[in-house]
Amino acid sequence: MENPADRWTLEALAAPGPALWWAGAVDVAGVPGREGLRAFSWRLDVVEALRSRGIDAEFGPPPPGGTADRFVLRMAKEKALARAGVQAAASVLAPGGRLILVGAKDEGVVSLAKAVDRAWGPSVVLRDGPWRRFVWTRPEGVVDFPAESLLPSPRYEAFGVTVHAAPGVFSWKRLDPGTSRLLAWADEALQPRGSWLDLGCGAGILAAWLAERGADEVVAADSSALALRAAEATLGGRGRVVASDAGRGLEGGFDGVLCNPPFHRGFDHSRALTGRFVRGARAALRPGGRAIFVVNAFVPLQREAAALFASTVLHVDDGRYRVVEART
């Protein structure tokens, strides 16, 4: 069944005239490239898909320069990101331009729309089951719509690292329990030497910990532009930050990998995504290298790793998380 949000997005972007698409983490396959359409996303795979169809797409959160008569925004999983999109629309649209917001009720789109109503005036609403499309006309003058900055800033201290992060970055408010479990084990058992990769780095705490503990070279890799900016700030010049989707383009150069692999993207959960990170870690290692993962206990990562690596060892199993080491 066709997703109404995709249909509404396609209609808004296909109409002639300058339009800006805050694609976020969601591609709409039917949107074609055309003159006057610009898009941006913090997801590398989304940007690559858009560019493959001839769409002028930018990798990163800031809105492209110039103006538009439409700003099309898909509701983001992280509410602060959606608010930042509304704030960006006010800076791009001229008075009389339209902000178009699409999403589902369970994504929080209705509560966001109420906040926008207070700043922009009443919206025109279209409903289709749980899906909603809201359209506002940009008012004259300055539009006051508070939103948290997407620039990374110091958020918390953990394991000797000051973590810089911003909305949209994994575990941006506090250290997640899985990473904490991995680092608690590593603090006692791991002395990294040589070249190490933090695969799926998020805010970069694993990369910064590696640098602090004496790794000769540290690379932090992620497919999110938001995460890469945060990791760069967290590393503070002690390593490199590289855009990579599950390790693509980083084959064969590392003695070790630390990884807290995701099993979801946006609103979608997929254990197959974890498998991609296992394969990416294996491809990134030199002969004799090792990859160390932390996963939720229900994720069968050790079984997947056993098919690719020469050996695997389960170091931690506390019933909630497992720390698994795999050697080439």
Side-chain angles (χ1 to χ4, degrees), residues 13-19 32-38 54-56 70:
L13 296 175
R34 66 168 181 84
E35 186 176 356
L37 171 60
R38 302 185 73 185
I55 296 173
D56 182 6
R70 270 159 292 145

Side-chain angles (χ1 to χ4, degrees), residues 12-13 17-22 36 38 40 63-73 84-101 116 120 134-143:
L13 296 175
L20 177 62
W21 179 18
W22 180 298
R38 302 185 73 185
F40 73 95
T67 60
D69 60 20
R70 270 159 292 145
F71 190 105
V72 182
L73 174 64
V86 174
Q87 188 181 64
S91 67
V92 172
L93 294 170
R98 291 180 298 152
L99 167 61
I100 302 169
L101 170 67
V116 182
W120 290 60
F134 299 89
V135 180
W136 294 269
T137 300
R138 191 202 189 284
E140 297 279 350
V142 176
V143 178

Side-chain angles (χ1 to χ4, degrees), residues 175-187:
L175 186 63
D176 78 285
T179 300
S180 179
R181 195 69 191 89
L182 172 59
L183 287 175
W185 170 83
D187 254 351

Side-chain angles (χ1 to χ4, degrees), residues 6 9 21 23-31 41 43 45-50 52-53 55 74:
D6 289 352
T9 299
W21 179 18
V26 180
D27 184 19
V28 177
V31 177
S41 170
R43 276 264 300 272
D45 58 325
V46 172
V47 169
E48 290 174 342
L50 297 178
S52 72
R53 303 201 302 274
I55 296 173
R74 175 69 163 84

Side-chain angles (χ1 to χ4, degrees), residues 34-196:
R34 66 168 181 84
E35 186 176 356
L37 171 60
R38 302 185 73 185
F40 73 95
S41 170
W42 53 86
R43 276 264 300 272
L44 182 61
D45 58 325
V46 172
V47 169
E48 290 174 342
L50 297 178
R51 289 175 177 171
S52 72
R53 303 201 302 274
I55 296 173
D56 182 6
E58 309 229 0
F59 179 52
T67 60
D69 60 20
R70 270 159 292 145
F71 190 105
V72 182
L73 174 64
R74 175 69 163 84
M75 184 66 194
K77 179 181 180 181
E78 177 65 66
K79 307 302 186 294
L81 284 178
R83 294 186 69 90
V86 174
Q87 188 181 64
S91 67
V92 172
L93 294 170
R98 291 180 298 152
L99 167 61
I100 302 169
L101 170 67
V102 296
K105 290 179 65 177
D106 62 1
E107 296 173 348
V109 71
V110 173
S111 60
L112 175 61
K114 290 178 180 178
V116 182
D117 280 345
R118 292 191 290 270
W120 290 60
S123 59
V124 176
V125 188
L126 186 62
R127 297 173 174 83
D128 188 336
W131 298 93
R132 300 290 186 272
R133 184 193 70 180
F134 299 89
V135 180
W136 294 269
T137 300
R138 191 202 189 284
E140 297 279 350
V142 176
V143 178
D144 183 18
F145 187 81
E148 187 154 7
S149 172
L150 298 187
L151 293 175
S153 61
R155 296 287 176 172
Y156 54 89
E157 301 270 343
F159 293 91
V161 174
T162 300
V163 177
H164 294 67
V169 179
F170 173 67
S171 192
W172 68 279
K173 293 182 178 180
R174 63 189 66 86
L175 186 63
D176 78 285
T179 300
S180 179
R181 195 69 191 89
L182 172 59
L183 287 175
W185 170 83
D187 254 351
E188 299 292 332
L190 184 62
Q191 295 183 342
R193 297 293 182 265
S195 178
W196 280 76

